[in-house]
């Protein structure tokens, strides 16, 4: 069964065609990687899926329900959560209070939300920072907070936007483990990523977009050998560096 | 936390008992301290907690004052009931303002202008309505009685405004701890992120502005029956809108005790310096002093005085294990 | 040409850098690597005058620039391309570039400098009137480096130029940095992409927790076991 189905999504900004008839499916329990050069339209796709933008054409279905034209908060309540490429913590409140906002999203009681927030904070490894102000956290921890907050909304589908940017290899490994764990708990993941190590390790399938169009789709092993992808995105050096 | 509760209860006890030792004039200063603390707290709900700056909050004071006074003079309705009518009207206008602002994405400076515009337009309308006193304003007849919400001497007003201040403190505390409180703070911190987390930001913005307006309008009823004169310029005017924001800002925006601390500092300063300078024939100089204090606080303690109060008190408040 | 000597830098009461000393010689490429939050950006900001060290000194071409104003430092020939690019988003590409050359010496050479920038980044020439905020990430990085070149620097400091860029672009950008270096500009590079950074550096420093942990030539560091494990994941 497919959790998220996008068909022929098209988004224009004035004369600029940012996304052009993009279609893909995210299966239940899958991790799907979305890669492509900067400006290819990846974040625009996320914004369309999560309701921050409305595509001019095309349809989007989450768990069988149409979501085009819905507001972001409604889409979140229907089970799809997202993170932002440039993280957006609630700066002057604590880690715990940040996560609580997500936990309260579904009409949970205050008490339930509190214990759920505590659980999630521990599962992402932020237990010691629970009462720290979010704006004092270094970047890798802010990224974990961003994920914890999204997880608190109990999503069935999670959209991750470049969560590994700016992390060193050890931190990338930790993030890979975390995302795998989330996936094993039953969340389907669509991830935008430039950190190839991360997206290769996690993705069961990948789609590549360039200039708003899908240019390749398949398993990671095929994708890295695809000449279109190499030319547009990876560069020949990538293959030799991988060697 | 227990020591903290004892401390607060002690202060409340002192305030309750204090009138026994004070003359009417000083009591009057305290009435204003509590009054401005209450108004500041009401404004704090929209601006401090939810993050939408309102420079037209005098609108709701005026609405409360004029509504209850009109109902009292024309229908003999007690201001104790008129308060609720005034609150409903104020909330209604606030929801209209909120709809224009929040539905159409007016933020920051543009929202501020909207609040100023609403206050100004109302001021102009009321200035031209005969039934509301037009340009001459309304003089309230002094007929002291509980029903009329009018009293001789400052003592009853002292306790009523104290009750309002404490009541607003409790109300905002409850809001702070509730889902509503957490959501409006999230909106202030990052409205987009809040939306992405499933918060219906439009709904909570509307709730915040309605609650703030309702609370503020009650202050208008109090004020009308304390100074016995209503004029559109003083009730809806810009100077009132600015006066009421100074204390919460100086005390600590978005904090529970900020408006109170700000009022306890600024109000006596304002009242005493006004009397002092008036004696020397230097009317209005108190505003300069007032302004200087406000500038100093904003320059050196932008988060408000409460930061320093907390630093001082927190070590003392730690419970002994 | 650049000598940083034993600087301590604090943010309020929090120590960010402690007793850090680095050197960059003429025409060198020097990398500073380390985890997030370890103080790398702070180091660059201190050199360019945005932060002031509590202790220690910074010398550039025999001058003491520890307490010099940032604008003077740029005029003297140090250019800082900050993390996250920090372009002027509503200004056009051309305006951003011009902003890089707003002082006397650079103004005179503006035409020549612009030509030089366009040689490295032909894509920018095509987009002169476009608002910087609407450029793609890679184009923004090019513009940021271009803007840095407009001040005619003898030393260019780059803070995480590869951040958020596709693998292809990362290669392109590093190629260009190498070219800039070939033309005579020394480079001080902060990078998360340790492999690329160390491969092209003459020398490197490793910062951990605000202090210098290791230093050596590019090759030495690339083959160092600790670095391979922590920063290269090998």
């Amino acid at each position: 069964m497919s959790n998220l189905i996008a068909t022929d999504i098209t988004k224009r900004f004035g004369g600029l065609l940012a996304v052009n008839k993009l279609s893909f499916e995210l299966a239940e329990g899958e991790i799907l990687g979305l890669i492509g050069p900067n400006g290819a339209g990846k974040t625009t796709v996320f914004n369309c899926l999560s309701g921050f933008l409305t595509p001019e054409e095309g349809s989007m279905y989450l768990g069988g329900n149409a979501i085009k034209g819905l507001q972001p908060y409604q889409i979140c309540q229907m089970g799809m959560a997202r993170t932002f490429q440039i993280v957006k913590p609630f700066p002057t409140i604590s880690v715990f209070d940040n996560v609580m906002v997500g936990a309260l999203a579904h009409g949970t009681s205050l008490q339930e939300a509190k214990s759920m927030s505590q659980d999630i904070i521990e599962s992402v490894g932020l237990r010691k920072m629970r009462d720290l102000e979010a704006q004092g956290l270094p970047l890798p921890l802010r990224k974990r907070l961003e994920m914890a907050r999204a997880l608190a909304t109990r999503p069935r589908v999670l959209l991750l936007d470049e969560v590994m940017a700016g992390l060193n290899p050890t931190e990338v490994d930790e993030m890979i483990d975390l995302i795998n764990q989330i996936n094993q708990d039953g969340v389907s993941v669509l991830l935008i990523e430039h950190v190839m190590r991360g997206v290769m390790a996690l993705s069961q399938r990948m789609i590549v977009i360039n200039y708003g169009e899908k240019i390749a789709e398949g398993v990671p092993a095929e994708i890295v050998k695809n000449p279109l992808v190499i030319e547009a995105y990876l560069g020949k050096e990538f293959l030799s560096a991988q060697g | 936390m227990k020591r903290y509760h004892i401390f607060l209860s002690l202060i409340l006890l002192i305030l309750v008992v204090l009138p026994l030792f004070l003359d009417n004039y000083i009591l009057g200063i305290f009435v204003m301290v509590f009054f401005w603390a209450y108004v500041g707290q009401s404004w704090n709900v929209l601006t401090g907690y939810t993050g939408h700056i309102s420079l037209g909050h005098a609108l709701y004071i005026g609405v409360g004052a004029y509504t209850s006074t009109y109902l009292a003079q024309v229908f003999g309705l007690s201001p104790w009931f008129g308060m609720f009518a005034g609150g409903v009207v104020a909330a209604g206008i606030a929801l209209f303002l909120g709809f224009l602002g929040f539905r159409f994405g007016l933020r920051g400076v543009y929202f501020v202008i909207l609040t100023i515009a609403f206050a100004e337009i109302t001021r102009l309308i009321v200035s031209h309505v005969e039934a509301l006193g037009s340009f001459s304003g309304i003089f309230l007849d002094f007929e002291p009685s509980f029903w009329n919400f009018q009293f001789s001497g400052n003592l009853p007003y002292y306790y009523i405004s104290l009750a309002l201040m404490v009541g607003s403190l409790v109300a905002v505390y409850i809001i702070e701890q509730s889902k509503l409180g957490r959501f409006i703070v999230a909106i202030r911190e990052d409205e987009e992120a809040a939306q992405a987390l499933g918060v219906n930001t439009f709904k909570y913005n509307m709730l915040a502005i309605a609650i703030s307006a309702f609370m503020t309008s009650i202050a208008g009823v109090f004020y009308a029956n304390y100074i016995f004169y209503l004029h559109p310029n003083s009730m809806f005017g810009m100077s009132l809108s600015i006066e009421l924001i100074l204390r919460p800002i100086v005390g600590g925006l978005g904090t529970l005790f900020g408006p109170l601390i700000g009022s306890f500092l600024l109000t006596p300063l304002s009242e005493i310096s006004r009397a002092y300078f008036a004696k020397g024939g230097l009317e209005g100089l108190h505003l300069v002093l007032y302004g200087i204090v406000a500038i100093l606080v904003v320059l050196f303690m932008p988060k408000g005085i409460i930061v320093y109060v907390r630093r001082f008190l927190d070590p003392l408040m730690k419970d002994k294990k | 040409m650049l000598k940083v000597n034993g600087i301590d830098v604090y943010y309020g009461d929090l120590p960010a850098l402690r007793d850090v000393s680095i050197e960059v010689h003429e025409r060198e490429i020097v990398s500073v690597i380390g985890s997030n939050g370890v103080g790398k950006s702070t180091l660059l900001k201190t050199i360019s005058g945005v932060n002031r060290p509590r202790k220690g000194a910074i010398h550039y071409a025999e001058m003491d620039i520890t307490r010099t104003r940032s604008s003077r430092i740029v005029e003297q020939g140090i250019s800082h391309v900050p993390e996250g690019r920090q372009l002027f988003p509503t200004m056009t590409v051309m305006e951003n570039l011009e902003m890089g050359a707003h002082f006397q010496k650079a103004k005179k050479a503006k035409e020549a400098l612009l030509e030089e920038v366009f040689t490295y980044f032909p894509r920018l020439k095509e987009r002169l009137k476009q608002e910087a905020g609407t450029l793609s990430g890679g184009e923004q990085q090019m513009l940021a480096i271009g803007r840095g070149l407009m001040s005619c620097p003898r030393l260019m400091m780059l803070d995480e130029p590869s951040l958020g860029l596709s693998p292809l672009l990362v290669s392109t950008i590093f190629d260009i940095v190498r070219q800039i270096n070939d033309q005579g500009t020394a480079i001080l590079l902060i990078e998360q992409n340790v492999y690329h950074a160390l491969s092209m550096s003459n020398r490197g420093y490793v910062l951990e927790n605000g202090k210098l942990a290791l230093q050596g030539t590019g090759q030495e560091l690339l083959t160092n076991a600790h670095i391979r494990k922590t920063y290269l994941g090998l």
Side-chain angles (χ1 to χ4, degrees):
Chain A
M1 198 199 74
S2 280
N3 236 338
L4 178 62
I5 305 180
T7 315
D8 287 340
I9 298 186
T10 305
K11 179 69 194 158
R12 285 190 199 91
F13 293 112
L16 177 67
L17 188 58
V19 180
N20 192 5
K21 287 200 171 352
L22 183 68
S23 303
F24 65 88
E25 283 182 27
L26 175 68
E28 180 99 40
E30 195 181 26
I31 299 181
L32 178 63
L34 174 59
I35 65 175
N38 286 97
K42 308 187 294 294
T43 300
T44 309
V45 171
F46 265 28
N47 285 334
C48 287
L49 290 171
S50 56
F52 283 95
L53 291 174
T54 309
E56 274 82 21
E57 291 163 33
S59 66
M60 304 176 292
Y61 285 86
L62 175 66
N65 301 309
I67 57 173
K68 182 165 129 178
L70 289 184
Q71 301 241 23
Y73 81 89
Q74 291 170 309
I75 293 178
C76 175
Q77 287 182 1
M78 286 169 73
M80 178 154 70
R82 69 164 296 178
T83 63
F84 291 90
Q85 187 174 353
I86 300 182
V87 291
K88 291 154 79 67
F90 299 126
T92 72
I93 63 178
S94 71
V95 165
F96 183 78
D97 288 331
N98 263 268
V99 179
M100 277 293 281
V101 177
L104 286 167
H106 291 277
T108 1
S109 77
L110 217 57
Q111 204 39 55
E112 263 178 53
K114 284 186 185 172
S115 56
M116 186 168 57
S117 300
Q118 187 61 35
D119 288 341
I120 290 182
I121 286 175
E122 300 205 2
S123 73
V124 301
L126 285 175
R127 184 164 59 91
K128 296 207 189 109
M129 293 89 191
R130 198 198 107 116
D131 297 314
L132 293 182
E133 236 186 44
Q135 66 186 346
L137 292 178
L139 185 67
L141 296 183
R142 286 196 202 191
K143 297 215 154 192
R144 280 202 227 164
L145 173 59
E146 186 99 344
M147 291 190 51
R149 245 181 14 183
L151 287 174
T153 67
R154 277 161 298 149
R156 286 178 309 159
V157 174
L158 187 56
L159 306 177
L160 297 176
D161 198 342
E162 295 199 38
V163 292
M164 298 184 199
L167 302 183
N168 69 31
T170 317
E171 290 155 354
V172 167
D173 282 335
E174 286 166 5
M175 192 56 97
I176 291 175
D177 287 340
L178 182 56
I179 297 174
N180 268 324
Q181 183 191 311
I182 293 170
N183 178 243
Q184 265 141 41
D185 288 339
V187 180
S188 319
V189 178
L190 174 59
L191 80 143
I192 292 179
E193 207 39 81
H194 281 304
V195 177
M196 291 311 294
R197 207 156 68 79
V199 74
M200 295 286 282
L202 286 167
S203 310
Q204 288 140 15
R205 278 189 315 127
M206 286 166 77
I207 53 180
V208 187
I209 72 174
N210 195 14
Y211 292 111
E213 290 178 9
K214 183 161 65 176
I215 62 171
E217 182 169 3
V219 297
E222 294 167 1
I223 293 284
V224 290
K225 294 201 217 119
N226 184 314
L228 281 175
V229 176
I230 293 175
E231 195 192 322
Y233 181 65
L234 294 172
K236 299 202 177 62
E237 274 194 30
F238 175 77
L239 285 182
S240 42
Q242 291 295 291
Chain B
M1 271 296 110
K2 259 196 84 195
R3 257 201 189 181
Y4 184 57
H5 295 158
I6 295 175
F7 177 70
L8 288 176
S9 312
L10 210 61
I11 296 196
L12 183 59
L13 190 62
I14 293 175
L15 289 177
V16 167
V17 163
L18 207 53
L20 295 173
F21 307 98
L22 302 174
D23 70 27
N24 201 49
Y25 172 66
I26 306 279
L27 271 183
I29 294 184
F30 271 94
V31 170
M32 294 315 285
V33 169
F34 302 150
F35 172 80
W36 289 117
Y38 173 78
V39 177
Q41 189 71 284
S42 311
W43 177 82
N44 198 18
V45 170
L46 178 63
T47 299
Y49 282 94
T50 320
H52 301 299
I53 302 176
S54 168
L55 286 186
H57 243 59
L59 169 64
Y60 309 117
I61 295 187
V63 166
Y66 273 89
T67 306
S68 73
T69 303
Y70 181 79
L71 291 173
Q73 289 186 336
V74 174
F75 299 104
L77 184 68
S78 163
W80 292 104
F81 296 110
M83 236 187 248
F84 289 96
V88 169
V89 177
I93 295 178
L95 286 173
F96 179 41
L97 196 166
F99 181 78
L100 292 179
F102 305 130
R103 181 53 92 209
F104 298 106
L106 289 180
R107 292 292 182 272
V109 238
Y110 304 102
F111 186 82
V112 173
I113 293 177
L114 186 65
T115 63
I116 295 176
F118 262 68
E120 273 300 287
I121 290 171
T122 310
R123 184 180 70 82
L124 288 168
I125 291 176
V126 171
S127 301
H128 287 87
V129 174
E130 278 304 320
L132 294 174
S134 186
F135 287 106
S136 6
I138 299 181
F139 285 92
L140 279 78
D141 297 319
F142 181 55
E143 285 162 17
S145 78
F146 187 82
W147 172 265
N148 284 345
F149 202 113
Q150 290 175 1
F151 310 93
S152 317
N154 278 324
L155 191 63
Y157 290 106
Y158 177 97
Y159 284 114
I160 293 176
S161 62
L162 177 60
L164 281 176
M165 182 181 88
V166 174
S168 70
L169 204 64
V170 171
V172 175
Y173 176 73
I174 292 175
I175 290 176
E176 236 189 13
Q177 305 296 315
S178 74
K179 183 159 128 170
L180 167 67
R182 288 177 182 275
F183 281 179
I184 63 178
V185 165
I187 289 173
R188 173 191 78 203
E189 297 284 291
D190 193 324
E191 192 158 353
E192 252 197 358
Q195 284 179 340
L197 291 172
V199 178
N200 184 347
T201 57
F202 179 72
K203 168 176 152 190
Y204 286 94
N205 279 328
M206 293 291 258
L207 272 173
I209 201 172
I211 291 173
S212 176
F214 187 94
M215 284 173 72
T216 310
S217 72
I218 294 177
V221 178
F222 180 92
Y223 199 57
N225 292 290
Y226 186 62
I227 64 172
F228 301 100
Y229 174 59
L230 300 183
H231 189 277
N233 289 352
S234 56
M235 288 280 97
F236 296 101
M238 199 63 198
S239 41
L240 179 58
S241 286
I242 292 187
E243 177 87 49
L244 67 92
I245 74 173
L246 288 177
R247 292 153 182 83
I249 292 178
V250 162
L253 203 54
T255 66
L256 191 57
F257 287 97
L260 275 69
I261 292 175
S263 188
F264 272 88
L265 175 72
L266 285 185
T267 309
L269 186 68
S270 164
E271 298 293 319
I272 292 172
S273 64
R274 185 209 315 243
Y276 179 76
F277 286 117
K279 271 200 215 122
L282 293 165
E283 284 276 335
L285 198 62
H286 73 286
L287 290 171
V288 175
L289 182 62
Y290 207 42
I292 291 174
V293 172
I295 291 175
L296 287 174
V297 168
V298 166
L299 269 178
F300 295 108
M301 297 184 269
K303 287 219 178 108
I305 294 176
I306 195 166
V307 174
Y308 295 87
V309 172
R310 274 210 195 116
R311 261 193 222 171
F312 177 70
L313 284 180
D314 277 347
L316 300 172
M317 288 295 140
K318 285 228 181 323
D319 291 322
K320 284 202 171 70
K321 294 276 181 216
Chain C
M1 101 201 246
L2 176 76
K3 258 205 187 93
V4 175
N5 247 322
I7 58 171
D8 281 0
V9 182
Y10 285 77
Y11 282 117
D13 292 324
L14 288 170
L17 292 174
R18 258 164 336 171
D19 195 32
V20 171
S21 303
I22 69 166
E23 279 177 30
V24 181
H25 306 133
E26 302 268 357
R27 314 193 80 128
E28 260 195 323
I29 299 182
V30 175
S31 288
V32 177
I33 64 176
S35 296
N36 279 300
V38 85
K40 311 192 295 294
S41 291
T42 308
L43 176 59
L44 289 196
K45 285 198 227 167
T46 310
I47 295 172
S48 61
V50 175
N51 293 337
R52 296 249 176 277
R54 232 184 240 193
K55 227 179 59 165
I58 304 176
H59 291 269
Y60 170 72
E62 316 304 316
M63 286 183 300
D64 185 326
I65 59 168
T66 322
R67 306 248 168 264
T68 313
R69 247 184 11 232
S70 298
S71 46
R72 274 294 283 161
I73 293 177
V74 174
E75 280 177 36
Q76 293 299 319
I78 298 182
S79 176
H80 184 177
V81 181
E83 188 180 6
R85 296 132 215 173
Q86 300 203 29
L87 297 170
F88 305 116
T90 58
M91 294 172 85
T92 64
V93 169
M94 187 58 160
E95 285 166 345
N96 268 274
L97 288 172
E98 285 176 337
M99 283 303 285
H102 70 281
F103 55 90
Q104 275 302 51
K105 188 174 79 162
K107 268 197 191 137
K108 291 193 194 132
K110 202 167 76 167
E111 292 305 319
L113 286 167
L114 277 172
E115 274 314 304
E116 191 186 338
V117 171
F118 295 141
T119 326
Y120 290 122
F121 304 116
R123 209 121 52 113
L124 289 183
K125 196 167 183 185
E126 295 162 21
R127 286 170 166 63
L128 281 180
K129 288 212 168 67
Q130 204 175 324
E131 268 185 23
T134 62
L135 295 174
S136 73
E139 289 160 351
Q140 287 189 1
Q141 191 60 64
M142 294 182 199
L143 178 56
I145 297 177
R147 186 179 61 177
L149 282 171
M150 291 297 288
S151 63
C152 209
R154 287 171 50 204
L155 168 65
M156 182 177 251
M157 307 193 296
L158 293 133
D159 196 342
E160 307 260 11
S162 77
L163 200 59
L165 296 185
S166 64
L168 176 59
L169 269 173
V170 169
S171 295
T172 315
I173 295 276
F174 279 123
D175 275 341
I176 292 177
V177 170
R178 237 184 252 118
Q179 286 176 44
I180 294 175
N181 175 250
D182 284 339
Q183 292 298 319
T185 310
I187 305 275
L188 178 56
L189 180 65
I190 285 183
E191 252 307 325
Q192 282 275 306
N193 194 323
V194 170
Y195 172 72
H196 266 107
L198 289 178
S199 311
M200 61 185 242
S201 299
N202 301 101
R203 288 183 307 113
Y205 296 90
V206 182
L207 274 183
E208 281 176 9
N209 290 318
K211 299 206 194 103
L212 269 180
L214 278 173
Q215 52 181 292
T217 67
Q219 277 307 112
E220 281 169 8
L221 292 175
L222 259 181
T223 50
N224 176 293
H226 171 67
I227 291 188
R228 286 177 79 80
K229 184 154 159 274
T230 318
Y231 302 104
L232 291 169
L234 294 169

